[in-house]
Amino acid sequence: MLAWLAGAFVAPRTFAQVTSNQSPVTSHSFQYPLEGYQSQFAPVVPGYQLRFPRDEGSHPGFRTEWWYLTGWLDVPDGTKLGFQITFFRARLRLDDVNPSAFAPRQILIAHAALSDPAFGRLRHDQRVARAGLGLAGASRDRLEVWIDGWTLHQVGPGYRASISARDFQFDFTFAATQPPLLQGVNGYSRKGPDPESASYYYSLPQLKVNGALTRNGKAQSISGSAWLDHEWSSRYMDKDATGWDWIGINLANGGALMAFRMRDRQGGRFWAGGSYRSPDGVTRTLGVQDVVFTPRREWRSPRTGTAYPVSWHISAGALAFEIEPLMDDQEYDTRLSTGTIYWEGAVRALQHGKPAGSGYLEMTGYWRPMQI
């Protein structure tokens, strides 16, 4: 959703610029003003018709945007792993008449993570760079986004991601098996009672993954399934929302479920929504009252002390699932890039205790209230 959705994008006053050859991660900060300039962000309004492949590319007039890939991997020894790759684009509130090529009008951020139960906690890495000069960018009209050697781009009818992180490397291809799933009303996805709190949003569930994973210095062939979310917005959260819970599930029967709720200051449901695509391709949009997240079990981070409900009962219209994590410790510290800490990880979906699908769960605003 991002985490941003996305991973979750927060616009702090100082970005940490993380270079690709630093290990462990160190940072060099640069400042930019958020106030005093009146650059106009493009609005999200009902009625816009998403077109493909045009809308798979960047929309630089909007404040924030992300391409969010998550999935489950099968390795030859039978191990199940989770992975996440996210590229964010953020337009800054700067004076657009500044002619300097060094003016940071657009910031690119990338996150990558591997959920490996044998390791016991999330392995992750991150990159930040200003767009331009060939070092980082996001193309219009087609999916092509990069920071240094980290890339995600279209290859024929599919996609390829190449990530060289500190503790792992991904070289994955993704093949679509279903058409884009437009979220909300034809891609206009409300995030609160104010119509301006919205995004343009589509998903590609049930992607087939193949390629190579390198961990512990050893390359392995992998296969698996994945989910791609692409969202762009200029006002994602209502001022009275503090965070969200989001899940995308590739169902074992070929269907797909996305559900989310925005939380209020008391931790309850402020807004909610989602979609369900049945195995025969029929799609149902889920409204505010259709989606219910009920926590079943908490896990507390030994590093931050933050408590996350890692096990859930989720109702989505007539559907109901129990959600269990691949492993509890999938906390993601992105303070060097997006300025926040959240939980994002691989989960199993069960019905009456039996496997029904696999996907990813993202929970933000538990460490501190989100701002986006």
Side-chain angles (χ1 to χ4, degrees):
M1 186 186 243
L2 117 151
W4 1 155
L5 250 245
F9 175 75
V10 178
R13 293 180 182 273
T14 301
F15 267 98
Q17 187 172 15
V18 183
T19 62
S20 61
N21 60 357
Q22 291 172 327
S23 181
V25 172
T26 58
S27 66
H28 304 282
S29 298
F30 61 88
Q31 301 286 335
Y32 65 86
L34 285 179
E35 287 117 10
Y37 296 96
Q38 298 299 321
S39 294
Q40 183 65 46
F41 298 125
V44 173
V45 296
Y48 176 75
Q49 292 187 351
L50 274 66
R51 297 178 184 175
F52 302 93
R54 181 195 68 183
D55 280 315
E56 296 185 77
S58 175
H59 302 80
F62 294 81
R63 185 183 177 205
T64 58
E65 184 166 19
W66 50 84
W67 297 261
Y68 177 54
L69 271 162
T70 59
W72 281 60
L73 303 175
D74 297 313
V75 296
D77 64 3
T79 302
K80 300 285 188 181
L81 307 172
F83 80 93
Q84 172 265 327
I85 301 167
T86 310
F87 282 86
F88 304 87
R89 179 203 54 78
R91 182 182 175 190
L92 307 183
R93 278 188 198 277
L94 294 177
D95 185 355
D96 285 338
V97 302
N98 186 341
S100 172
F102 295 96
R105 294 180 178 86
Q106 303 279 347
I107 295 292
L108 275 296
I109 302 170
H111 292 166
L114 180 67
S115 296
D116 182 351
F119 188 70
R121 59 183 174 85
L122 198 68
R123 302 189 193 203
H124 58 86
D125 204 352
Q126 52 199 313
R127 297 286 184 271
V128 181
R130 66 186 72 191
L133 305 178
L135 301 177
S139 299
R140 302 191 192 198
D141 302 326
R142 67 190 308 271
L143 201 172
E144 184 179 23
V145 58
W146 71 94
I147 299 178
D148 295 326
W150 288 30
T151 63
L152 173 63
H153 61 278
Q154 289 178 287
V155 179
Y159 311 90
R160 182 174 181 177
S162 180
I163 304 291
S164 183
R166 294 190 310 275
D167 299 326
F168 55 86
Q169 289 82 46
F170 299 155
D171 188 2
F172 298 163
T173 60
F174 305 89
T177 65
Q178 299 181 2
L181 174 57
L182 304 186
Q183 303 292 357
V185 180
N186 296 321
Y188 168 75
S189 174
R190 289 271 294 272
K191 301 300 190 290
D194 188 336
E196 293 184 2
S197 295
S199 68
Y200 294 125
Y201 179 14
Y202 71 88
S203 304
L204 283 171
Q206 299 287 0
L207 292 168
K208 289 186 176 180
V209 187
N210 285 283
L213 163 69
T214 300
R215 54 179 175 147
N216 305 321
K218 180 181 178 181
Q220 297 175 295
S221 296
I222 59 88
S223 60
S225 64
W227 180 296
L228 170 65
D229 269 357
H230 183 193
E231 287 193 77
W232 58 102
S233 175
S234 291
R235 183 179 154 191
Y236 196 84
M237 286 183 65
D238 190 282
K239 61 181 177 58
D240 293 322
T242 62
W244 60 81
D245 305 304
W246 171 95
I247 195 165
I249 305 172
N250 284 324
L251 296 172
N253 62 10
L257 174 70
M258 187 280 289
F260 75 92
R261 68 166 185 170
M262 312 297 287
R263 298 191 312 279
D264 60 22
R265 299 184 186 280
Q266 290 71 47
R269 181 178 60 189
F270 178 77
W271 194 261
S275 65
Y276 168 62
R277 175 181 279 169
S278 65
D280 60 6
V282 176
T283 299
R284 180 192 171 192
T285 299
L286 303 171
V288 177
Q289 302 303 319
D290 293 322
V291 175
V292 180
F293 281 71
T294 305
R296 292 162 28 118
R297 179 175 62 84
E298 282 190 341
W299 169 80
R300 186 173 297 275
S301 167
R303 294 172 296 279
T304 66
T306 306
Y308 302 95
V310 296
S311 174
W312 292 88
H313 182 276
I314 294 179
S315 297
L319 297 171
F321 298 94
E322 300 86 42
I323 303 299
E324 292 294 336
L326 176 64
M327 60 188 195
D328 286 357
D329 193 347
Q330 299 183 84
E331 184 182 50
Y332 209 151
D333 186 343
T334 65
R335 284 176 289 182
L336 284 176
S337 57
T338 58
T340 191
I341 299 173
Y342 57 101
W343 195 100
E344 178 180 61
V347 294
R348 293 183 174 91
L350 309 172
Q351 286 185 312
H352 310 295
K354 297 181 180 180
S358 59
Y360 253 66
L361 170 67
E362 181 181 75
M363 300 180 286
T364 73
Y366 289 90
W367 174 65
R368 291 179 184 172
M370 289 292 297
Q371 299 175 36
I372 184 171

